[in-house]
Amino acid sequence: MNDSEMIRRDLKPALVFLSGELIAVPIPLEREDVILGRALEADVRVNDTQVSRQHAKVTAVKGETKSSTEYVLTDLASRNGTFLNGVRVRRETLQNGDKITIGETILRFDLLDEIDREYQRQIHRLISHDDLTGLLSSRSFFSELRREAGRATAENRPFCVIMMDGDNFKSVNDSYGHLTGSKTIEEIGFSIMTNLRSGDAAARFGGDEFAAFLLDADLPQGLTAAERIRSSIEKYEFSVLRQGKNRETHHITVSIGVSSFPDDSSDPIELVEMADSALYRAKREGRNRVAAYRDMTPEELNRHLPPRRD
């Protein structure tokens, strides 16, 4: 490819994950030095225990023209080494399509135009999101949750995990059919998303089970958000899909469990298990309700309750 073709296509360098939690994600190389590693402050953070905190870096070495810029991979004295196309290296110039391995994670160095970049983003979305609701898949949710737990630990910030499950959902399929059941799951997902803030994340775990985490939220705030979701779904008129019929609707409720970081646990997997335990307590206590993993202190309860009107 000659220089004029490269300029016309506006090729930009990127690292594309070929494995791991961020598979198919293109990471643009926009800085002169881009650090790859496990540390929170790494430019390309790799959640892999075999990767050093600062494992390797990619450096842009500019030539006389824009198209003559080279990109150099350098190992930063990592514990397990940096491999380029299967060979351990200390410092090598990257070529389009080269594969970089650090720990168990593989990335490809690519020169991408805007069409390529959008294609990679769409591939990642298909992999990382539930195709029915558009919410995160469970695998992607845990990836985001681990990342948020790391940030919250470093910055001493709280967050909450909530688990949600439809009440007697089998009766929807039995009464209205599986098409209506699928539409109901889609609409539950929509209702959850419309009641979350920007930055919060929600996922479908499978069937009619959903999860979310709420940024910068302590337990009272988490319970308030969970109650908002529960109430919204209780009032929602869900679609009934029947051929040749006038528009029909039905109603369904959800039970919700809430756990909080770091008061309940600092381990993200344990937080999900705790929220799930609270969810099933809500089921046992009558369904269509919100339950916390632990009881709130009087101070927390006062903050959670609305002010009295005398």
Side-chain angles (χ1 to χ4, degrees):
M1 180 182 299
N2 58 42
D3 291 353
S4 62
E5 288 176 321
M6 291 186 67
I7 293 171
R8 185 167 63 250
R9 289 187 61 198
D10 189 26
L11 296 178
K12 294 182 179 179
L15 294 176
V16 179
F17 280 82
L18 300 185
S19 66
E21 298 167 341
L22 296 176
I23 187 168
V25 173
I27 308 295
L29 299 176
E30 297 175 333
R31 300 183 181 180
E32 184 175 333
D33 286 317
V34 175
I35 304 296
L36 289 70
R38 190 166 41 86
L40 286 172
E41 61 272 17
D43 299 305
V44 179
R45 186 164 181 250
V46 181
N47 190 19
D48 183 336
T49 57
Q50 296 187 35
V51 172
S52 299
R53 291 180 58 79
Q54 292 195 2
H55 195 105
K57 71 176 179 178
V58 176
T59 303
V61 181
K62 298 187 181 299
E64 295 181 359
T65 64
K66 178 181 178 181
S67 61
S68 65
T69 300
E70 293 184 336
Y71 293 87
V72 178
L73 174 68
T74 304
D75 180 73
L76 299 177
S78 64
R79 183 176 67 253
N80 294 317
T82 299
F83 295 81
L84 184 63
N85 299 321
V87 178
R88 186 166 184 166
V89 297
R90 291 186 177 180
R91 189 178 188 276
E92 289 290 339
T93 300
L94 293 169
Q95 305 296 326
N96 192 23
D98 278 349
K99 296 178 180 63
I100 302 166
T101 303
I102 56 175
E104 296 183 349
T105 301
I106 304 172
L107 306 98
R108 187 177 62 222
F109 174 75
D110 277 339
L111 296 173
L112 304 175
D113 62 17
E114 183 53 40
I115 294 174
D116 295 327
R117 292 191 292 272
E118 180 58 28
Y119 172 75
Q120 293 294 160
R121 286 190 287 265
Q122 291 297 329
I123 290 295
H124 175 66
R125 179 168 180 80
L126 289 172
I127 294 171
S128 62
H129 288 71
D130 173 59
D131 58 356
L132 180 60
T133 63
L135 302 181
L136 292 173
S137 65
S138 58
R139 176 179 176 177
S140 296
F141 178 82
F142 280 110
S143 173
E144 293 295 327
L145 181 60
R146 282 191 290 268
R147 193 172 293 111
E148 174 56 26
R151 281 195 294 261
T153 299
E155 299 172 13
N156 193 29
R157 295 188 289 108
F159 70 86
C160 283
V161 172
I162 64 178
M163 293 292 292
M164 299 159 277
D165 190 74
D167 295 326
N168 299 314
F169 187 82
K170 184 177 180 295
S171 65
V172 176
N173 287 328
D174 292 343
S175 300
Y176 306 108
H178 288 279
L179 283 178
T180 293
S182 295
K183 184 64 175 177
T184 300
I185 289 171
E186 180 184 349
E187 291 177 336
I188 290 174
F190 174 78
S191 186
I192 290 170
M193 280 304 301
T194 56
N195 283 284
L196 295 180
R197 305 161 302 171
S198 175
D200 296 339
R204 180 187 175 203
F205 271 25
D208 57 324
E209 187 175 26
F210 299 83
F213 66 78
L214 314 175
L215 304 178
D216 296 310
D218 58 17
L219 181 58
Q221 292 169 321
L223 290 170
T224 298
E227 175 59 25
R228 186 168 60 245
I229 292 170
R230 185 208 64 77
S231 176
S232 173
I233 291 173
E234 181 184 35
K235 297 172 184 175
Y236 195 95
E237 293 188 348
F238 289 91
S239 304
V240 174
L241 302 181
R242 283 180 174 167
Q243 189 174 7
K245 297 282 186 178
N246 294 328
R247 184 177 184 273
E248 293 182 70
T249 61
H250 73 96
H251 291 273
I252 191 172
T253 61
V254 295
S255 298
I256 303 177
V258 184
S259 62
S260 65
F261 172 98
D263 292 335
D264 290 332
S265 176
S266 295
D267 179 82
I269 306 302
E270 193 170 35
L271 283 169
V272 171
E273 293 172 346
M274 289 173 167
D276 202 46
S277 175
L279 160 64
Y280 282 98
R281 180 155 65 88
K283 294 274 193 185
R284 291 194 302 272
E285 292 177 354
R287 301 185 177 91
N288 190 25
R289 63 188 63 210
V290 174
Y293 177 73
R294 64 180 173 87
D295 293 329
M296 289 190 294
T297 65
E299 292 78 11
E300 288 176 320
L301 187 60
N302 288 334
R303 277 190 291 151
H304 177 59
L305 292 174
R308 291 181 57 184
R309 294 180 179 178
D310 296 328

